[in-house]
Structures are given as structure tokens and as C-alpha cells.
């Protein structure tokens, strides 16, 4: 599906035009054009990316091919960016959606395979004329990226909630057999998010430094603010990840302690029964020349010796706090 918006002096003057009309409007230097490709067909991709804007084949290939990492490429008359939006729910867990941007002097082209909340929110804002309209495609790109980064917050909140639940389970007396699986899953979610946030921060860093001629000087403070937001987000993720690893270490130490306590109990049980085993084994040999067998008090002696030695062993182990 192709959505298009035409701006003049910060106001929408047209939307959802035909492809041929987009080609004609692109030649008008007084207009700003935003084309959003939402899960387009192959024909729509070819008609817009190749037929209207004539993007480089390598940029088109990077656009239509899923990429796991954000990136930025500076071409002669436009800028190509790969960014990622994230979503997280307790049911579906971590999910990311790639958002590609082609930023020129008079246009912005966005490409995504699935609907994005950031794109929908910007379209709704522009349709309602909420605030001043964009007077440049770089301003449109910033608004879109800013909304995309803002949508990281709900996921971070969900992950923080899961982290607190894990810490509560780890520090409780009872152990949960599913805890290791949950720990590894949450660790994987943190790792995936960090793999997106760090490269994305580097992409915004290039824009914030003014390395690209497609970003006007007046927009640089806005991109610097966006970079700072990503930096704070990354620091928060690092802190959460360290807390998760600490909880994992506590769980492993707790499991090792419980295993040692079990081994100590079994060892103590073996030690307590050792006198009875030795005495019973000695008198159970039934040799002919054992004086103890012919004594009238032999059974009493053996029983008393067994009880006394077992009691002494129990007192010794109690002092050692083995049970």
C-alpha cells in the first residue's frame, strides 16, 4: 500500500496521489513529499523506488532485504537509513520491525513490511494538523524517529517488570523450576534490544554531528536530543542487564548451596549409621573362635556399644552443624 503526503509551507495540500502524479510533483522544488510504503507489492516497490525516485540498486536491495542491524549510507543526493522499531508483550515477547528511510532535499520515503505505531501516530498527527507542519523532509524524519524511540519505553517498562519478578523469585525461599528458562529468555530480550539500540544510536550520532548535507543546521539540536535519549536508553539497558546477571548468579549460588546442604545431610546420615554397620558387620561374621559369641552378655554389649557410638557420632555432627 502506498501512502503519500504533499506539504507546502507546513500544510498538507494533497495526499494519496497516483504514482504518475508523484513523479510530476517531485520536479516541483517548492513542495515537500512524503511517500510511505506499507507492506508494498513488488510492482509498487519497482514503481516508486525505481520509477519515481531512481534510487541506487544497492540501496533498494538493502531496503527490501531484512537487516538485523541499523545502518546509514550517504548517497549523492539522498540519505538511506535502516532503523528498527520494537514491540514487546508478555504473550508474543520481543518483536522488531525494520523501518527504512530515504531522505532527500525535498522528499522522504519510508518502507516497512508491517504496520508501525510511530508511522500511524505521525500520520494521525499530520491529519489533525496538531502543531506546526513540517517545513522540510529532515523534520519529518526526525519526528518519525522520535516517535519510534518513544515507543521503546513500553517495552523497557515490561522488561523492568519481568526483571523485578525474577529478582523476587530468586530472593524468595521457594525455587521455581521454570526460572532458568525465564532468565535465559529475558536475557535474550535484553541482548536483542541492546543490539538494536547501540547501532541505532551510532546512526543518529552521524546525523547529530551534521555529517550529512541532508540535515539542516537548525535540526541538529533535535537530533542531538534524540541521540541523548538513545544514550540514556542504552545506559538503562546496561543497568538492567547487570541486575539480571546478578540475579542469575544469586540463583546459581543458591542452587549450589541447596545441593551442598543435601550432600551434607546424606553424608551425616551415612556417618550416623556407620557405627551400627561396623559393629553389625563384626558380629555378623560368626567365626568359631570369637570370645564375644560365647559371652552371656554379648548381645547386651553389642547393643550398648552401637547405641553409644551412634549417639557420640550424632553429637559430633550436631556440633559441626551438618544437620
Amino acid at each position: 500500500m502506498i501512502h503519500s503526503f504533499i506539504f507546502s509551507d507546513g500544510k498538507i495540500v494533497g495526499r494519496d496521489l497516483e504514482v504518475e502524479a508523484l513523479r510530476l510533483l517531485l520536479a516541483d522544488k517548492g513542495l515537500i513529499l512524503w511517500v510511505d510504503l506499507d507492506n508494498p507489492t513488488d510492482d509498487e516497490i519497482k514503481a516508486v523506488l525505481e520509477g519515481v525516485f531512481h534510487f541506487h540498486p544497492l540501496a533498494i536491495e538493502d531496503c527490501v532485504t531484512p537487516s538485523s542491524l541499523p545502518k546509514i549510507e550517504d548517497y549523492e543526493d539522498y540519505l538511506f537509513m535502516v532503523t528498527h522499531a520494537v514491540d514487546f508483550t508478555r504473550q508474543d515477547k520481543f518483536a522488531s520491525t525494520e523501518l527504512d528511510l530515504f531522505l532527500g532535499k525535498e522528499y522522504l520515503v519510508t518502507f516497512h513490511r508491517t504496520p508501525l505505531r510511530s508511522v500511524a501516530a505521525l500520520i494521525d498527527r499530520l491529519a489533525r494538523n496538531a502543531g506546526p507542519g513540517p517545513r522540510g523532509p529532515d523534520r519529518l524524519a526526525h519526528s518519525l524517529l522520535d516517535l519510534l524511540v518513544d515507543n521503546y519505553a513500553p517495552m523497557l517498562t515490561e522488561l523492568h517488570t519481568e526483571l523485578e519478578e525474577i529478582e523476587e523469585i530468586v530472593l524468595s525461599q521457594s525455587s521455581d523450576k521454570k526460572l532458568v528458562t525465564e532468565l535465559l529468555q529475558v536475557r535474550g530480550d535484553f541482548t536483542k534490544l541492546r543490539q538494536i539500540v547501540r547501532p541505532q544510536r551510532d546512526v543518529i550520532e552521524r546525523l547529530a554531528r551534521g555529517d550529512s548535507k541532508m540535515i539542516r543546521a537548525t535540526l541538529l539540536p533535535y537530533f542531538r536530543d534524540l541521540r541523548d535519549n538513545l544514550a540514556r536508553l542504552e545506559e538503562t539497558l546496561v543497568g538492567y542487564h547487570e541486575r539480571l546477571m546478578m540475579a542469575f548468579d544469586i540463583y546459581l549460588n543458591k542452587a549450589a548451596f541447596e545441593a551442598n546442604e543435601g550432600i551434607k545431610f546424606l553424608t551425616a546420615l551415612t556417618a550416623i549409621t556407620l557405627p551400627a554397620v561396623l559393629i553389625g558387620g563384626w558380629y555378623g561374621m560368626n567365626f568359631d573362635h570369637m570370645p564375644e559369641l560365647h559371652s552371656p552378655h554379648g548381645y547386651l554389649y553389642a547393643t550398648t556399644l552401637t547405641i553409644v557410638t551412634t549417639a557420640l557420632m550424632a553429637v559430633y555432627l550436631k556440633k559441626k552443624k551438618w544437620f
Side-chain angles (χ1 to χ4, degrees), residues 202-218:
D202 295 338
V203 169
I204 302 301
E205 173 69 25
R206 283 191 56 183
L207 301 178
R209 290 198 309 261
D211 292 347
S212 175
K213 57 186 178 181
M214 300 301 163
I215 305 297
R216 294 172 294 171
T218 55

Side-chain angles (χ1 to χ4, degrees), residues 66-187:
S67 175
S68 60
L69 294 175
K71 62 177 293 187
I72 183 170
E73 293 288 344
D74 209 340
Y75 290 87
E76 184 177 352
D77 54 352
Y78 61 90
L79 190 67
F80 173 67
M81 287 182 286
V82 177
T83 62
H84 287 82
V86 297
D87 195 10
F88 181 85
T89 59
R90 292 295 183 92
Q91 293 78 22
D92 300 331
K93 293 300 181 181
F94 182 90
S96 64
T97 303
E98 182 177 328
L99 174 64
D100 303 309
L101 299 92
F102 295 89
L103 177 61
K105 285 293 185 180
E106 286 86 23
Y107 62 84
L108 173 67
V109 179
T110 54
F111 179 96
H112 50 99
R113 293 290 187 181
T114 57
L116 290 175
R117 287 181 294 173
S118 54
V119 175
L122 183 56
I123 291 176
D124 181 65
R125 180 190 300 177
L126 294 173
R128 291 186 292 105
N129 292 322
R135 296 184 178 274
D138 50 356
R139 181 62 177 176
L140 264 174
H142 171 267
S143 299
L144 195 56
L145 293 173
D146 189 42
L147 289 170
L148 185 144
V149 173
D150 287 344
N151 287 328
Y152 286 6
M155 177 177 182
L156 204 60
T157 302
E158 288 286 346
L159 287 174
H160 181 254
T161 302
E162 283 205 348
L163 176 60
E164 289 184 335
E165 291 176 357
I166 288 174
E167 290 176 337
E168 184 177 350
I169 295 173
V170 168
L171 296 176
S172 65
Q173 295 296 327
S174 60
S175 58
D176 191 348
K177 295 181 179 180
K178 297 180 180 179
L179 183 60
V180 174
T181 303
E182 188 173 357
L183 274 167
L184 295 176
Q185 191 168 28
V186 175
R187 180 187 178 186

Side-chain angles (χ1 to χ4, degrees), residues 48-50 53-60 78 102-103 107 109:
V48 174
L49 300 185
E50 295 182 17
F53 294 95
H54 307 291
F55 292 133
H56 195 282
L58 289 178
I60 297 176
Y78 61 90
F102 295 89
L103 177 61
Y107 62 84
V109 179

Side-chain angles (χ1 to χ4, degrees), residues 154-300:
M155 177 177 182
L156 204 60
T157 302
E158 288 286 346
L159 287 174
H160 181 254
T161 302
E162 283 205 348
L163 176 60
E164 289 184 335
E165 291 176 357
I166 288 174
E167 290 176 337
E168 184 177 350
I169 295 173
V170 168
L171 296 176
S172 65
Q173 295 296 327
S174 60
S175 58
D176 191 348
K177 295 181 179 180
K178 297 180 180 179
L179 183 60
V180 174
T181 303
E182 188 173 357
L183 274 167
L184 295 176
Q185 191 168 28
V186 175
R187 180 187 178 186
D189 292 334
F190 276 119
T191 301
K192 291 176 184 177
L193 188 56
R194 290 178 65 187
Q195 288 175 347
I196 289 176
V197 171
R198 183 56 185 270
Q200 198 141 292
R201 192 191 74 173
D202 295 338
V203 169
I204 302 301
E205 173 69 25
R206 283 191 56 183
L207 301 178
R209 290 198 309 261
D211 292 347
S212 175
K213 57 186 178 181
M214 300 301 163
I215 305 297
R216 294 172 294 171
T218 55
L219 267 293
L220 294 182
Y222 295 94
F223 281 98
R224 285 196 292 267
D225 179 70
L226 187 59
R227 175 203 59 194
D228 295 340
N229 289 340
L230 283 170
R232 285 191 292 269
L233 180 63
E234 184 183 10
E235 291 176 0
T236 303
L237 280 172
V238 171
Y240 287 171
H241 190 267
E242 290 177 354
R243 285 176 57 183
L244 182 66
M245 291 299 98
M246 187 179 299
F248 192 52
D249 290 339
I250 292 174
Y251 174 79
L252 293 178
N253 291 333
K254 183 179 177 182
F257 176 77
E258 292 176 353
N260 289 335
E261 288 296 310
I263 293 173
K264 285 172 60 177
F265 175 77
L266 293 176
T267 305
L269 184 63
T270 303
I272 289 176
T273 58
L274 183 61
V277 172
L278 290 176
I279 295 171
W282 174 261
Y283 284 101
M285 290 186 292
N286 296 323
F287 291 150
D288 291 337
H289 302 289
M290 291 183 67
E292 297 87 347
L293 296 178
H294 303 288
S295 171
H297 305 293
Y299 181 77
L300 178 62

